[in-house]
Amino acid sequence: MVNNILPQRALIIFPTYNERDNIETIVHAVLPLDPRIHVLIVDDNSPDGTGRIADRLSQQEEKVHVLHRKAKEGLGRAYIAGFKWAIENKYDYIFEMDADFSHGPEYIKTFLKEIRDHDLVIGSRYISGVNVINWPMSRLLLSYFANMYSRVITGMPIRDATGGYKCFRREVLEAINLDSVHSSGYSFQIEMNMRVWKKGFRIKEIPIVFIDRVAGNSKMSKRIMREAIWMVWWLRIKSIFGQLK
């Protein structure tokens, strides 16, 4: 599963909805970090004009690409669209990353180093204590215990199963039936991790510090939290019957 040949290209996928205040700055922050890095902005028809900014960036920089979707359908659907585009265009490493700087660009070099010997690298807020800044205690406790809950129910040996800062080898995404991925909200992260783990791929968590967004608004909602609660049981049942592919 592990290929030690240095890959030629890495793609960072930014799913966006009303990220006008962040998208240009984050793109300019990640591109200089490594000559192999390209960016794909997957915009869900943001009413604040994020898509227009993305188009301008793609016209100015050949390493910036844009996918426009007609409506906001959830984080999972945006990433699935991005994964399919990345596979079609033969990128070797595919990142998930938030556009709001809660995922620090300074960790990208560590991801690129670790992914040479692993199949999925996850930026973990909980692998070395609790590394979250600017969250109220209620949200921090919710996230921490949600991860503990998912670990107990699914059996995955992952400390931060809900984290959204990660890097896949293309072969991992090619091995998963992306059309069968069920989740649309933040439980999408749990489901993808579960599918990767059940297929026997090598997973590595690296410590990161998560800093809550400064500009824009959080996309978290009660519906997203409810989906995550029942999704871990759905994954457990599917796993028991060997139906995760």
Side-chain angles (χ1 to χ4, degrees):
M1 295 177 186
V2 175
N3 180 357
N4 289 318
I5 298 175
L6 188 66
Q8 297 302 308
R9 296 188 303 166
L11 183 70
I12 299 176
I13 302 174
F14 290 116
T16 57
Y17 185 78
N18 288 349
E19 292 290 354
R20 176 184 60 191
D21 296 331
N22 297 304
I23 190 59
E24 185 166 6
T25 308
I26 192 69
V27 167
H28 289 317
V30 302
L31 284 180
L33 294 174
D34 191 289
R36 295 169 290 172
I37 292 175
H38 290 219
V39 165
L40 175 65
I41 302 166
V42 183
D43 187 66
D44 279 4
N45 197 23
S46 299
D48 72 344
T50 300
R52 291 192 296 274
I53 296 173
D55 285 336
R56 174 171 56 79
L57 291 171
S58 70
Q59 292 168 4
Q60 296 170 347
E61 172 55 67
E62 64 179 2
K63 291 183 177 180
V64 177
H65 313 277
V66 185
L67 272 182
H68 291 283
R69 300 190 334 129
K70 294 182 179 180
K72 185 180 180 183
E73 297 177 335
L75 183 74
R77 295 300 98 197
Y79 271 129
I80 292 297
F83 291 162
K84 290 181 176 180
W85 191 92
I87 292 169
E88 181 180 349
N89 288 276
K90 303 297 182 182
Y91 282 89
D92 300 278
Y93 298 160
I94 298 110
F95 282 81
E96 293 184 23
M97 186 175 180
D98 289 351
D100 61 9
F101 282 93
S102 56
H103 296 151
E106 66 270 20
Y107 298 108
I108 288 175
K109 290 184 179 181
T110 305
F111 274 101
L112 288 173
K113 177 183 177 181
E114 294 293 345
I115 197 65
R116 294 182 67 181
D117 298 312
H118 300 89
D119 301 303
L120 167 61
V121 180
I122 300 170
S124 175
R125 299 162 291 183
Y126 306 121
I127 194 68
S128 60
V130 177
N131 295 309
V132 178
I133 296 175
N134 291 339
W135 267 5
M137 184 58 68
S138 58
R139 184 171 179 185
L140 178 58
L141 290 173
L142 176 65
S143 174
Y144 183 81
F145 285 109
N147 274 285
M148 186 181 297
Y149 171 78
S150 68
R151 193 162 63 248
V152 170
I153 302 303
T154 64
M156 282 190 296
I158 297 175
R159 302 287 298 180
D160 192 355
T162 62
Y165 196 5
K166 56 182 65 172
C167 181
F168 300 86
R169 284 180 172 271
R170 185 181 74 242
E171 294 86 353
V172 174
L173 297 177
E174 288 174 331
I176 293 172
N177 180 359
L178 295 175
D179 290 328
S180 71
V181 175
H182 190 77
S183 308
S184 59
Y186 283 87
S187 59
F188 169 79
Q189 306 297 354
I190 303 173
E191 181 173 353
M192 287 298 297
N193 290 337
M194 183 75 167
R195 290 175 182 271
V196 173
W197 176 59
K198 293 300 291 185
K199 285 184 175 293
F201 286 107
R202 294 184 179 185
I203 301 173
K204 173 70 178 285
E205 288 186 88
I206 61 172
I208 65 165
V209 176
F210 178 94
I211 302 175
D212 197 20
R213 65 165 56 237
V214 175
N217 298 310
S218 172
K219 310 302 190 298
M220 182 63 72
S221 70
K222 291 182 179 179
R223 181 190 64 79
I224 290 172
M225 289 186 287
R226 286 195 298 268
E227 179 189 54
I229 290 171
W230 67 259
M231 178 55 65
V232 294
W233 287 101
W234 183 86
L235 290 170
R236 173 73 179 272
I237 294 169
K238 289 287 185 178
S239 176
I240 291 172
F241 289 100
Q243 296 176 347
L244 286 181
K245 299 180 180 180

